[in-house]
Amino acid sequence: MSALLAVLLAIPMVLMYHRVDVSSPSDHTSRALTVSPAQFEAELRYLHAQGLRTIGIAELERDVAGGRRPERAVLITFDDGYRDQFRYAFPILQRYGDRAIFFVNTGNVGNSRHLTWQQIEIMHRAGMSIECHGVDHVDLALLDAAAQQYEIDDCIRSLEGHLHDAVQAYAYPSGAFDAQTIGIEERAGLLFGFTTDPSFQTQRDSPYELTRLRVTSGMSDASFAALISSCRAHAEAFPPGSLGHFEGGPSGKSGPR
């Protein structure tokens, strides 16, 4: 089994959220991406009831580098760096002892409705993973190489400068990317790239084309349970011993850069 396929099979299920708020936005798209605090808390309770645990990017990297599938694990991700993530999602995560991964657009930090650097630093110190979502929320596949380089490198530089910790993952705005994107990520030392939908994948065994399960507003308990069940059934088709060994990450790097 190739090292890259071992990476793919080692990745636990990944849930994708955007906003957690008590109010519902007026436009259809934002409304669909905004779950209530009650819904989010109920979904965390369900994960715990199923014996699942949440992990961050650093723990994922350690397990993958050791050729291990993180046992009974799930990645909870948030995109775009909305301020309600700090106000509502973060306290709920802390209450349940959970971790999440926050993909931040650094160009929006401090703007209306978005996280401040102080809030980002507080979440990071509390054990949350803070990772890249670009400088701006732009479709990387529409940009030339120089513009993509700026979006990726400058986002990494800003986050690492404020957090004094390595950035290891990138979530593509709108889910889109191309071969240039992956090359730039590899040279920058990133280990993982996350998209939004399997239709964007060109190589199913690439650690830079990892898909996520979208959680939407008003999802019923039964629908959420079915989502988790379908993903677990797929993952359990591959026994942990089949993972092989993964040497130091996709780019040969391990740990902080």
Side-chain angles (χ1 to χ4, degrees):
M1 176 178 294
S2 73
L4 289 181
L5 183 56
V7 172
L8 181 64
L9 298 184
I11 300 296
M13 75 179 82
V14 188
L15 301 179
M16 178 174 60
Y17 291 86
H18 285 75
R19 302 187 62 182
V20 177
D21 206 342
V22 294
S23 60
S24 182
S26 57
D27 66 285
H28 175 75
T29 299
S30 297
R31 187 164 58 250
L33 298 178
T34 304
V35 305
S36 69
Q39 178 184 335
F40 182 58
E41 185 167 3
E43 288 163 355
L44 286 187
R45 284 200 305 268
Y46 179 80
L47 296 177
H48 281 263
Q50 296 301 304
L52 296 169
R53 63 190 179 91
T54 57
I55 64 172
I57 288 292
E59 186 173 358
L60 173 66
E61 189 275 332
R62 286 194 300 269
D63 281 351
V64 171
R68 302 180 298 272
R69 176 186 292 142
E71 290 296 323
R72 305 189 69 80
V74 58
L75 299 178
I76 294 178
T77 67
F78 285 89
D79 284 6
D80 302 340
Y82 288 108
R83 194 168 298 189
D84 53 65
Q85 295 168 3
F86 180 84
R87 183 174 182 181
Y88 296 108
F90 177 50
I92 296 171
L93 289 163
Q94 287 191 301
R95 190 179 311 146
Y96 286 84
D98 284 313
R99 297 181 183 181
I101 301 156
F102 293 84
F103 290 109
V104 175
N105 294 117
T106 53
N108 286 331
V109 174
N111 291 348
S112 174
R113 299 186 301 119
H114 287 83
L115 296 167
T116 66
W117 281 118
Q118 181 182 32
Q119 291 168 335
I120 290 169
E121 290 163 10
I122 289 171
M123 291 198 297
H124 177 256
R125 289 195 298 269
M128 304 298 151
S129 297
I130 309 297
E131 305 292 336
C132 277
H133 202 39
V135 177
D136 308 298
H137 196 281
V138 293
D139 185 333
L140 293 178
L142 300 178
L143 304 180
D144 61 23
Q148 287 198 39
Q149 186 99 40
Y150 165 74
E151 288 292 329
I152 294 169
D153 288 352
D154 202 72
C155 183
I156 293 172
R157 187 161 42 248
S158 293
L159 289 178
E160 292 187 340
H162 280 88
L163 303 177
H164 308 291
D165 199 2
V167 172
Q168 297 179 308
Y170 198 106
Y172 311 119
S174 304
F177 58 93
D178 58 22
Q180 287 186 130
T181 312
I182 294 174
I184 295 168
E185 288 178 307
E186 289 180 311
R187 291 190 293 275
L190 294 175
L191 301 180
F192 306 106
F194 292 84
T195 183
T196 58
D197 190 289
S199 65
F200 287 109
Q201 286 182 316
T202 59
Q203 298 182 60
R204 293 182 60 84
D205 60 352
S206 171
Y208 299 102
E209 302 183 28
L210 303 174
T211 63
R212 298 180 282 173
L213 303 173
R214 186 185 296 271
V215 181
T216 57
S217 175
M219 180 176 280
S220 69
D221 293 346
S223 295
F224 185 77
L227 186 71
I228 299 302
S229 178
S230 64
C231 185
R232 291 181 72 183
H234 174 75
E236 288 166 2
F238 301 95
S242 70
L243 296 181
H245 186 67
F246 176 65
E247 294 290 347
S251 59
K253 299 185 179 183
S254 180
R257 288 178 290 108

